[in-house]
Amino acid sequence: MRIYVKIIVFLMLFYGSLNAISIKAMQVLGNVSDISPASRAWLSASYQDITLYPRYTSNADNQARKAKIKAIHDGQNISFLIKWKGDERGVEKEEGSIVYTDGFIIQFPVNYTDVMKLPYIDKGSKGRPVVVYLQKKIKTTYKAYESMDFFLRDKELKESQEKIVIEEIEEHQTAFISEGETHKSMALDINANNKIYMVYKNGYWWGTLSRPLKLEYHDLDKGVFPVSFALFGRDAHKSMSSWIAVELVSKSGGDSLLKALSEDPEGNIANGERMALEKCASCHQYGDVGIGSDFIAPNLSNIGGYSIKEYLRESILHPSAVVVGENENSSWYDIVDNETKISTMPSYGWLDKDSLDDLIVFFMRQKKEE
């Protein structure tokens, strides 16, 4: 028995186990086109735990966040429920105010027939659009004397005004189709066919999105489709999940997509780590490794948390297929014809299949847990 246990542990370390997940959307009776977090319809589904990771840049030191997801459908509409702990509020400092932002994003790729060409997880990528639903609660705190100081002449009045604090809570909802931060985006009518709710109770935020499975510009009625979640908070940073497969219970189709998104990659982690040190660490940082900087190349400390293996494969073989960056002066890429981004990373298309798989399985394990 001990021999078998040792073999299993060895294989997990050698080949890796990432415990890929999927979400089952249970079919329910009744209409789910407009349901809140308090609806009893959610009793028909079980929670799926997911982990969301900070983006690739300056907040890579932040730890992961946990959330719970439920999904249900009625054959025509689908609804998602996301629940996350709300002990910490994100803080954005602005002149004269402090903005506390809590919120969530649920997004879907417009086209997901080819898992090898799924969009970049954050706002899509050129030629690979995503449909984004965003909900925020924004609490703004104003110190009255900062905005009224010019008009106050009486010292006692000013001192009394300094003690006045004005708080405003704004609800922000939006929906849009995006092809990346620097490419075209099309606003959608958030009130047309979609319903979003967000409430705070007993230390947790609860958010829901309800929408038709089929829209003129987007079809989710295919048995299986990808979804991604993001949370705001923790110093205004955004944490994201990878693409997660959603199974529409009682509907058929999408088996190949489910397999591609749910199966763990296979490879030799030890060899992948060695290759990463030799080929990647001079430009990229990941964990405590790397002599490069975020200015030279993206930080890969959480790359395995919000990427699928096909995205990593494409990025290694065809670095310019999807180029991300936060500003036009980034050394991550060159700009051609005032628009097209060409990655400064060379292609590693010369790698043999086994070496490529090893490198992918190693980077899929790069993520900082909560």
Side-chain angles (χ1 to χ4, degrees):
M1 180 67 179
R2 290 182 179 177
I3 295 177
Y4 288 125
V5 171
K6 288 181 179 179
I7 291 175
I8 292 172
V9 172
F10 171 77
L11 290 174
M12 289 178 66
L13 292 174
F14 191 79
Y15 291 105
S17 177
L18 300 173
N19 298 318
I21 62 173
S22 63
I23 298 170
K24 291 187 180 295
M26 305 303 296
Q27 184 165 17
V28 298
L29 298 176
N31 191 324
V32 302
S33 63
D34 184 4
I35 60 173
S36 73
S39 173
R40 295 182 62 83
W42 296 114
L43 297 175
S44 302
S46 300
Y47 278 117
Q48 172 64 61
D49 294 331
I50 68 168
T51 308
L52 303 95
Y53 297 86
R55 287 183 63 189
Y56 50 82
T57 51
S58 58
N59 56 332
D61 289 336
N62 287 6
Q63 301 301 304
R65 303 183 68 182
K66 301 291 185 179
K68 293 180 177 291
I69 305 294
K70 285 186 178 184
I72 55 178
H73 75 96
D74 60 17
Q76 302 295 321
N77 307 282
I78 187 161
S79 294
F80 289 92
L81 169 67
I82 179 169
K83 172 186 176 183
W84 71 98
K85 198 170 185 179
D87 288 345
E88 297 183 17
R89 302 286 183 92
V91 179
E92 296 176 356
K93 293 184 178 181
E94 295 183 357
E95 185 176 355
S97 65
I98 299 178
V99 181
Y100 299 85
T101 304
D102 288 281
F104 67 93
I105 287 176
I106 301 179
Q107 69 173 352
F108 311 91
V110 172
N111 188 340
Y112 49 93
T113 55
D114 184 358
V115 71
M116 297 294 293
K117 300 293 185 181
L118 287 180
Y120 178 61
I121 206 69
D122 188 23
K123 296 184 181 177
S125 43
K126 186 177 181 181
R128 304 180 194 182
V130 292
V131 180
V132 180
Y133 300 90
L134 181 152
Q135 163 75 52
K136 280 186 179 182
K137 295 274 191 179
I138 302 176
K139 178 181 177 183
T140 306
T141 302
Y142 298 94
K143 291 183 178 180
Y145 74 90
E146 290 183 347
S147 59
M148 299 173 62
D149 184 60
F150 179 80
F151 301 97
L152 297 178
R153 296 291 182 263
D154 187 285
K155 183 178 179 180
E156 291 185 3
L157 179 60
K158 179 178 178 181
E159 288 177 350
S160 67
Q161 289 292 321
E162 287 180 351
K163 299 177 182 179
I164 295 177
V165 175
I166 301 173
E167 291 187 349
E168 296 180 357
I169 297 179
E170 174 189 355
E171 186 130 348
H172 177 67
Q173 295 181 347
T174 186
F176 56 93
I177 298 177
S178 172
E179 291 190 26
E181 293 191 18
T182 59
H183 295 291
K184 62 183 180 181
S185 178
M186 181 179 72
L188 302 173
D189 184 354
I190 190 63
N191 296 313
N193 304 313
N194 315 299
K195 293 295 181 181
I196 303 180
Y197 297 97
M198 182 174 165
V199 297
Y200 185 78
K201 183 179 180 180
N202 298 331
Y204 287 90
W205 284 104
W206 308 67
T208 58
L209 165 69
S210 303
R211 54 153 285 177
L213 284 168
K214 285 188 177 183
L215 293 168
E216 180 181 353
Y217 52 86
H218 194 216
D219 186 0
L220 296 177
D221 196 11
K222 296 183 179 180
V224 177
F225 60 84
V227 66
S228 174
F229 303 90
L231 295 177
F232 294 97
R234 295 195 181 186
D235 297 331
H237 291 147
K238 181 166 62 176
S239 299
M240 307 179 296
S241 77
S242 182
W243 289 120
I244 301 171
V246 177
E247 303 177 65
L248 294 173
V249 174
S250 78
K251 289 183 176 284
S252 60
D255 293 342
S256 60
L257 178 62
L258 177 63
K259 180 179 179 180
L261 290 179
S262 302
E263 284 191 345
D264 288 341
E266 296 182 353
N268 183 326
I269 296 174
N271 187 53
E273 182 177 14
R274 179 187 61 79
M275 292 184 59
L277 194 60
E278 292 178 358
K279 312 297 183 185
C280 310
S282 60
C283 294
H284 294 280
Q285 289 185 320
Y286 50 92
D288 298 325
V289 179
I291 61 175
S293 71
D294 295 350
F295 179 76
I296 297 175
N299 190 308
L300 304 180
S301 296
N302 285 310
I303 191 69
Y306 52 79
S307 298
I308 59 174
K309 54 184 180 289
E310 286 76 13
Y311 172 75
L312 288 178
R313 186 181 305 276
E314 182 179 54
S315 297
I316 295 170
L317 298 179
H318 309 288
S320 294
V322 177
V323 181
V324 298
E326 294 190 331
N327 59 72
E328 297 304 317
N329 296 319
S330 176
S331 62
W332 302 357
Y333 53 82
D334 296 320
I335 299 179
V336 179
D337 297 330
N338 296 321
E339 179 181 5
T340 304
K341 293 180 179 179
I342 303 297
S343 176
T344 54
M345 173 181 162
S347 168
Y348 284 80
W350 50 268
L351 289 174
D352 62 78
K353 182 182 181 302
D354 289 341
S355 297
L356 180 60
D357 289 342
D358 296 345
L359 196 57
I360 291 171
V361 76
F362 171 73
F363 276 117
M364 284 296 292
R365 295 176 69 90
Q366 298 307 300
K367 44 193 173 182
K368 297 184 178 181
E369 301 300 335
E370 188 176 36

